[in-house]
Structures are given as C-alpha cells and as structure tokens.
C-alpha cells in the first residue's frame, strides 16, 4: 500500500513530501529496528535498545527537580534516555502527526520561531482559540510525553532526517518547570533534556490529547 501510493500515476495521490513518506514507513509493522539503525550510525551500540513499554504518560504540568529527573525519566549522565520507546506514527499532512500508541497528535513544524515560556503558553492558547486542525485541546508536552517520541541522537544531522519534526525544530519547550526561574526543554536533534530560563528562547511543538 505504501509503495503503490509512492508511485501512483496521479501525482496528487502520492505522498506530499519525503517526510510524509518516511513517517508512513515508520508506522509499518516491524520497521522500527531498521529505521533506528540509520539514526545510530557507528555510535554506542548500547543505545540501540528499544523499549516496548509505555505505561500511562503524565499529561499535567509539574515541577520536576534536577535531582529527580534522571530517575523519573530513566536518563543517563548526559540526560539522554537509556532506552527508546517504540512508536507508531500516522501522518496527517506536513503540519501534524498522530502517534497511535499514546493517541497523541503532534505538531510537526510548530511556531517556526522561538518564544519564551510565557509566550509559548500563549501560542498554545491561540491554537485552541483557532481550533487548529479541528482541535481545541492543544498544550505543551510533558517531559514524559517528549521522552516517548525521542529517537537516538541524529549525530549532528538536521531533524528533517527524522520524519516527525521539520528541520527548523531543535530546542522545544516542555510544560514542566524546574524552579521559579527555569523550565525544562528538550533537544530533539541530540535527544537530551536541559533547563532553560523561562525568559530564554526555544520553539514550540504542541500536542493534543486523544479525541
């Protein structure tokens, strides 16, 4: 089905882009291990472990202290996941993607520019006011939700090599904060978490809970 769509005689019935096709391939049964090899290159092979478990992902914003984050998220000393969860994405055009395991809909391009943490929340409120993509439940992802969609580091490549996000997406705000002055961000290219002053600058890719 994927191959036939990619070579359809009517150009309008083919995939809109290589990213869309890549996302469709990512969702095929049994494709996770082969896709992961492309991201891992010749790096540490211990990072090739993929976890099938997901459990219930926290959706409410919370304070997560620096001393607790590695234990809570199963991170190594570089604040990267020690394993990666299996994902099953379904493309919904170039602007959004649906992750079937969690039921979450993800923005793929986000704002296209950086915002501080307060502005990030205002941007999400605007998405809901506009009922963007027909939804009014958009919000910033929690740390756990981001962890569930991370891939092994892209080894200095652009995030466009990964079908979920466009190549302008790098640092993204989470909904969680560390203290009064700092919130948590995630580097989706190098696949690690860090703290950033709330008046700092990062991009936004909102998510929407199950319909």
């Amino acid at each position: 089905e994927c191959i036939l769509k990619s070579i359809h005689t009517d150009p309008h019935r083919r995939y809109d882009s290589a990213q869309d096709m890549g996302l469709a391939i990512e969702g095929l049964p049994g494709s996770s291990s082969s896709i992961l090899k492309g991201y891992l290159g010749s790096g540490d092979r211990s990072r090739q472990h993929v976890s099938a478990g997901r459990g219930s992902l926290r959706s409410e914003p919370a304070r997560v202290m620096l001393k607790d984050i590695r234990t809570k998220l199963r991170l190594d000393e570089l604040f990267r996941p020690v394993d990666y969860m299996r994902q099953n994405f379904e493309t919904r055009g170039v602007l959004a993607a649906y992750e079937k395991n969690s039921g979450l809909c993800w923005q793929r391009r986000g704002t296209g520019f950086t915002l501080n943490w307060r502005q990030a929340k205002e941007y999400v409120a605007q998405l809901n006011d506009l009922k963007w993509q027909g939804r009014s439940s958009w919000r910033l992802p929690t740390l756990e939700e981001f962890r569930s969609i991370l891939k092994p580091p892209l080894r200095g490549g652009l995030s466009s090599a990964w079908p979920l996000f466009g190549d302008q997406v790098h640092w993204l705000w989470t909904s969680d904060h560390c203290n009064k002055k700092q919130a948590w961000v995630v580097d989706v290219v190098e696949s690690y978490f860090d703290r950033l002053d709330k008046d700092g600058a990062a991009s936004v890719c909102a998510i929407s809970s199950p319909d």
Side-chain angles (χ1 to χ4, degrees), residues 112-172:
F113 48 87
T114 59
L115 302 168
N116 64 37
W117 200 52
R118 175 186 58 81
Q119 292 169 332
K121 291 187 281 188
E122 291 174 351
Y123 166 76
V124 172
Q126 185 179 25
L127 291 179
N128 290 323
D129 289 343
L130 296 172
K131 295 190 183 304
W132 191 77
Q133 295 286 303
R135 292 171 174 247
S136 57
S137 58
W138 295 101
R139 56 186 172 81
L140 291 176
T142 64
L143 288 162
E144 284 86 350
E145 287 168 333
F146 262 124
R147 192 201 187 288
S148 74
I149 56 89
L150 287 181
K151 288 289 192 182
L154 296 177
R155 307 297 177 188
L158 295 174
S159 56
S160 59
W162 172 19
L164 176 55
F165 295 126
D167 59 13
Q168 78 278 18
V169 177
H170 194 139
W171 285 100
L172 294 171

Side-chain angles (χ1 to χ4, degrees), residues 2-190:
C2 181
I3 292 171
L4 290 175
K5 181 172 181 176
S6 69
I7 62 173
H8 202 284
T9 54
D10 181 356
H12 297 291
R13 297 180 65 179
R14 300 175 195 158
Y15 292 103
D16 291 332
S17 67
Q19 287 189 34
D20 278 359
M21 185 175 178
L23 194 59
I25 293 171
E26 177 94 0
L28 295 176
S31 66
S32 297
S33 59
S34 60
I35 294 292
L36 278 174
K37 289 178 183 177
Y39 299 120
L40 286 164
S42 58
D44 180 3
R45 299 191 64 82
S46 66
R47 291 189 175 276
Q48 294 190 31
H49 177 66
V50 179
S51 172
R54 182 178 299 269
S56 178
L57 298 174
R58 175 175 58 84
S59 60
E60 292 297 319
R63 179 185 182 187
V64 180
M65 299 178 69
L66 177 63
K67 67 181 181 66
D68 299 326
I69 189 171
R70 286 186 58 195
T71 301
K72 284 180 178 293
L73 298 187
R74 284 179 48 80
L75 306 179
D76 63 16
E77 65 280 0
L78 298 178
F79 289 80
R80 286 175 172 162
V82 298
D83 53 17
Y84 295 88
M85 296 183 183
R86 293 193 184 278
Q87 298 145 19
N88 188 5
F89 280 106
E90 172 187 295
T91 182
R92 292 194 171 178
V94 297
L95 298 179
Y98 178 71
E99 206 288 305
K100 296 179 181 179
N101 294 327
S102 63
L104 295 174
C105 188
W106 288 79
Q107 275 191 305
R108 297 178 64 190
R109 292 182 176 175
T111 55
F113 48 87
T114 59
L115 302 168
N116 64 37
W117 200 52
R118 175 186 58 81
Q119 292 169 332
K121 291 187 281 188
E122 291 174 351
Y123 166 76
V124 172
Q126 185 179 25
L127 291 179
N128 290 323
D129 289 343
L130 296 172
K131 295 190 183 304
W132 191 77
Q133 295 286 303
R135 292 171 174 247
S136 57
S137 58
W138 295 101
R139 56 186 172 81
L140 291 176
T142 64
L143 288 162
E144 284 86 350
E145 287 168 333
F146 262 124
R147 192 201 187 288
S148 74
I149 56 89
L150 287 181
K151 288 289 192 182
L154 296 177
R155 307 297 177 188
L158 295 174
S159 56
S160 59
W162 172 19
L164 176 55
F165 295 126
D167 59 13
Q168 78 278 18
V169 177
H170 194 139
W171 285 100
L172 294 171
W173 287 112
T174 77
S175 63
D176 298 325
H177 67 286
C178 178
N179 51 51
K180 290 183 179 180
K181 294 184 177 181
Q182 295 178 314
W184 288 102
V185 291
V186 57
D187 182 336
V188 296
V189 176
E190 294 299 328

